[in-house]
Amino acid sequence: MRSNTRKYRLMILLCIAVTFFVFILSISIGRYSIPFWTVLQTLTLQESVDTTIRSVIFEIRLPRIIAAMLVGAALSVSGAAFQGLFKNPLVSSYHLGVSSGAGFGAALAILLAAGTFAIQLYAFTFGALAVAASFGLSRLVKGSSTLTLVLAGMVVSSFFSALISILEYVSNPLETLPLIVFWLMGSFNAIRIPDLINITPIILVGIAGVMLIRWRINILSMGEDEAQALGIDLKRIIGILVFCCTLSTAASVCIAGVIGWVGLVIPHIGRMFVGPDFKKLIPMSAIIGANYLLLMDDIARTLTTGEIPIGILTSLVGTPFFAVLLWRNKVGWS
Amino acid sequence: MTFETRGLSFGYAKDRTIFENIGFSVGKGEIFCILGPNGTGKTSLLRCLSGISMPLTGSVTIDGKDLHSLSRAEVAKRLGFMPQLHSSIFPYTALEVAVMGRSPHLGIAASPSERDYDLAWKNLELLGISSLAEKPYTRISGGERQMVLLSMLLTQQPDIMLLDEPTSHLDFGNQVRLLELLRRFSKKGFSVVFTTHFPSHAFQLSCTVALMNKGTFESVGPAETQLTEENLRRIYGVDLCVEYVSKANSRTCVPIIKNDDGRGVGAR
């Protein structure tokens, strides 16, 4: 086995086992704590379980937990894919403007006093539009490369950030402004089964698309000339990657708000486990990302009596962690 | 198999061309060497020949089929390109880099199988660098990286190999090993086009040579008729001599560094 596949498979199995444990643990903890054994009984649909417990688990905790895992996986996978695509380990899933676009969409919907679903729809649409704008802008440049795409992403992100500021400025400081600010900080608090039904297929399709072509990201990351010499159709593969990543990140942001430092940090942690090969890194990032965001959300809802916005937590944990990685020279560009 | 180019010109603007009107053809199992001073357009030429850069005019064909009428993967199955300088951001192992050569042979959703890894490993062994297999590509020397790139090219298994100064970072021994390897591959039926700064390399391979100067081929022909003292002096603008060395059964080119009194100053 020259490709170290056995070690990798073992590691994935181990991580899946850990995920299962974290999953059950997350259902069990909360303001209304449920014993481990009861959680298992409820999940296996045994009749003897109390109906209150059943409704707490199935209607409140489970949707939230599944959403956190999906979003964690989506942000980490697209972050890893973008780092390879842009040949830049400092890039995250939001690099093409999906978060600022979605933030603008959500803020607009909140100003228009729209309902939850409309806010999600606006956020998703404007998130996707922002990426499309970055993409289109980069295509205007002759001989467009991933470098122009990075620059276009920065331009579009800043533009939508400015638009968000305008909306915040004109909004009512007592009613709509707090809503916008809280939305931007991110939360899984309001997620129920219908939200989950809307976003799950979109996120899964996005992740699956990246999964399918993940080995090609290695070749993309070697440089555009090398990738072409190795038979890669650059436009097509970049198009597929950006499309899939946008689907899953836009769907993530539209239900959970802007959760930073996941798509940047998790791929680096993945590399510490399985190395830089995207064939192994993408699945590993998905699993680690799912666990990480789930644990962060557990903390967000249990640490205080209130709810801590999860975007604040991930930044608080992510930044020092990344600083340590930098300091230990583990970021993986040398 | 014939690899051919006709009337090839390239430049970043129509009135500022890098090279103009280049034409030659390479048959199965032939070695074609391009020699010329710095900045004359050798790398740009190889990039056009490999289909990475789009020429202003002219065509590049494999068996009469234009490169740009084929898909990227179809081209890459037949034509391999090894760049002069390359580094990676991510610390892939040498084996992971070598196996990337399988890319044109695998479907878009496929990743390399054990057999692909075996092939990549065999090529690392062939080049005597299997000890690098687990080492990060970013932490090995330039010469080692060049050898890893070569193993990637071999793993790609193209009919035609385009190599841009393949010996530029190699130590003396590896230069010779690379030349031997090119010879062996040409005997197996692979065609090789490479650029070099060492006239002696063309002598040693006894191959066809194109003298490239000021963005065009001045002349094309066998090494012994092309690489005369006169031609080399004119192109490189330095004094040198070409001698036959009977022990090596090859000609070689030696530069002459002169004293003020006009005599060579080398060690005796």
Side-chain angles (χ1 to χ4, degrees):
Chain A
M1 293 294 241
R2 302 216 186 277
S3 49
N4 291 327
T5 316
R6 202 169 297 158
K7 190 180 153 205
Y8 162 69
R9 283 196 187 136
L10 206 72
M11 212 176 264
I12 290 281
L13 277 178
L14 202 76
C15 286
I16 290 174
V18 170
T19 310
F20 182 74
F21 175 76
V22 173
F23 178 71
I24 303 291
L25 178 81
S26 304
I27 300 175
S28 136
I29 59 172
R31 206 166 307 150
Y32 182 89
S33 126
I34 304 166
F36 229 81
W37 181 243
T38 317
V39 171
L40 286 176
Q41 276 181 319
T42 320
L43 288 183
T44 49
L45 300 175
Q46 285 179 26
E47 295 289 329
S48 57
V49 180
D50 184 71
T51 45
T52 331
I53 293 180
R54 209 180 290 167
S55 77
V56 165
I57 289 182
F58 283 113
E59 278 158 42
I60 298 171
R61 285 201 192 152
L62 213 48
R64 180 172 187 156
I65 284 166
I66 292 172
M69 292 176 84
L70 280 172
V71 170
L75 294 180
S76 308
V77 164
S78 54
F82 275 8
Q83 288 176 3
L85 170 63
F86 295 124
K87 301 175 279 291
N88 185 344
L90 296 177
V91 152
S92 81
S93 15
Y94 298 148
H95 210 86
L96 293 180
V98 69
S99 56
S100 15
F104 170 75
L108 188 66
I110 292 170
L111 268 191
L112 297 174
T116 319
F117 179 72
I119 294 176
Q120 291 173 7
L121 192 67
Y122 272 57
F124 183 86
T125 311
F126 277 95
L129 267 180
V131 177
S134 303
F135 208 64
L137 194 59
S138 79
R139 286 280 157 101
L140 289 180
V141 183
K142 202 187 157 201
S144 87
S145 67
T146 46
L147 182 67
T148 58
L149 193 53
V150 169
L151 296 175
M154 287 170 67
V155 170
V156 171
S157 287
S158 302
F159 179 72
F160 276 102
S161 298
L163 288 185
I164 293 176
S165 300
I166 293 176
L167 292 188
E168 285 179 332
Y169 183 72
V170 300
S171 65
N172 181 335
L174 292 177
E175 288 161 24
T176 45
L177 182 60
L179 290 177
I180 296 175
V181 171
F182 277 119
W183 192 93
L184 289 174
M185 286 186 211
S187 172
F188 288 103
N189 190 21
I191 289 170
R192 297 292 177 269
I193 294 168
D195 309 309
L196 205 56
I197 291 172
N198 289 335
I199 62 128
T200 304
I202 306 176
I203 289 187
L204 288 182
V205 165
I207 292 180
V210 179
M211 278 287 219
L212 279 176
I213 58 169
R214 65 190 193 274
W215 183 68
R216 303 270 145 175
I217 305 173
N218 285 341
I219 294 158
L220 266 181
S221 79
M222 295 294 276
E224 291 180 22
D225 288 358
E226 281 63 39
Q228 287 189 62
L230 286 168
I232 299 278
D233 183 341
L234 280 181
K235 277 200 170 155
R236 187 169 74 146
I237 200 122
I238 293 174
I240 296 175
L241 265 186
V242 170
F243 180 76
C244 291
C245 289
T246 304
L247 275 188
S248 58
T249 44
S252 298
V253 176
C254 87
I255 58 151
V258 183
I259 300 172
W261 289 88
V262 177
L264 176 63
V265 173
I266 299 300
H268 290 289
I269 299 175
R271 274 185 206 103
M272 287 166 63
F273 282 103
V274 295
D277 185 354
F278 282 91
K279 184 183 167 183
K280 299 170 186 165
L281 180 63
I282 293 288
M284 199 63 182
S285 297
I287 298 176
I288 299 176
N291 278 296
Y292 174 73
L293 206 54
L294 179 52
L295 282 173
M296 283 298 123
D297 188 48
D298 288 348
I299 296 173
R301 66 186 164 93
T302 56
L303 195 64
T304 60
T305 45
E307 170 104 20
I308 308 171
I310 189 154
I312 296 180
L313 265 185
T314 54
S315 301
L316 268 181
V317 175
T319 41
F321 190 84
F322 197 69
V324 171
L325 285 182
L326 271 175
W327 171 51
R328 300 274 309 272
N329 200 5
K330 287 260 191 207
V331 181
W333 61 73
S334 59
Chain B
M1 202 286 313
T2 340
F3 179 63
E4 194 172 29
T5 180
R6 286 281 160 260
L8 204 66
S9 310
F10 175 75
Y12 294 101
K14 279 240 160 61
D15 51 339
R16 274 181 32 234
T17 54
I18 309 270
F19 60 79
E20 259 175 10
N21 198 28
I22 291 214
F24 68 93
S25 75
V26 183
K28 189 176 158 76
E30 279 178 10
I31 305 182
F32 189 88
C33 171
I34 301 165
L35 259 148
N38 285 141
T40 190
K42 297 188 298 297
T43 297
S44 303
L45 173 59
L46 281 195
R47 284 168 54 93
C48 275
L49 291 177
S50 67
I52 293 172
S53 297
M54 198 68 180
L56 286 176
T57 63
S59 64
V60 182
T61 58
I62 304 173
D63 286 336
K65 273 191 214 128
D66 194 284
L67 225 56
H68 294 281
S69 72
L70 300 169
S71 78
R72 275 265 149 232
E74 282 173 314
V75 172
K77 274 183 201 167
R78 309 206 57 190
L79 189 75
F81 172 65
M82 177 175 147
Q84 193 185 132
L85 267 177
H86 181 262
S87 62
S88 158
I89 304 287
F90 299 104
Y92 301 116
T93 65
L95 182 70
E96 281 163 357
V97 174
V99 86
M100 290 183 198
R102 296 310 292 159
S103 160
H105 303 276
L106 301 172
I108 187 164
S111 39
S113 66
E114 254 347 273
R115 263 170 67 199
D116 295 315
Y117 281 99
D118 282 340
L119 182 65
W121 176 266
K122 266 202 326 232
N123 286 322
L124 289 175
E125 269 185 335
L126 181 72
L127 297 179
I129 50 168
S130 53
S131 60
L132 297 179
E134 295 296 320
K135 288 204 178 136
Y137 181 70
T138 45
R139 298 228 171 141
I140 58 181
S141 76
E144 288 172 325
R145 243 180 281 162
Q146 217 160 12
M147 295 299 272
V148 173
L149 280 182
L150 186 63
S151 70
M152 176 166 100
L153 184 67
L154 297 183
T155 309
Q156 192 180 340
Q157 296 178 315
D159 303 327
I160 309 139
M161 301 182 186
L162 306 175
L163 305 108
D164 193 8
E165 285 180 40
T167 57
S168 58
H169 296 275
L170 300 184
D171 70 36
F172 193 75
N174 274 337
Q175 289 189 12
V176 177
R177 274 186 280 277
L178 184 118
L179 293 180
E180 279 172 345
L181 207 81
L182 293 187
R183 210 181 79 89
R184 215 160 76 215
F185 275 99
S186 80
K187 287 269 183 288
K188 278 189 190 168
F190 291 93
S191 309
V192 176
V193 178
F194 76 109
T195 61
T196 183
H197 285 305
F198 300 97
S200 300
H201 289 171
F203 283 132
Q204 244 110 38
L205 291 172
S206 181
C207 58
T208 309
V209 172
L211 286 179
M212 192 168 182
N213 198 12
K214 293 177 185 140
T216 189
F217 279 1
E218 286 194 345
S219 56
V220 180
E224 50 283 15
T225 66
Q226 292 303 302
L227 303 179
T228 59
E229 288 183 359
E230 192 197 340
N231 278 346
L232 289 170
R233 261 187 222 128
R234 193 185 67 251
I235 280 188
Y236 291 113
V238 292
D239 202 9
L240 49 82
C241 63
V242 172
E243 292 281 339
Y244 173 75
V245 180
S246 58
K247 248 189 182 169
N249 191 26
S250 168
R251 287 188 206 194
T252 188
C253 173
V254 183
I256 304 172
I257 296 169
K258 281 182 191 161
N259 240 340
D260 292 341
D261 60 4
R263 285 175 38 208
V265 292
R268 288 187 75 93

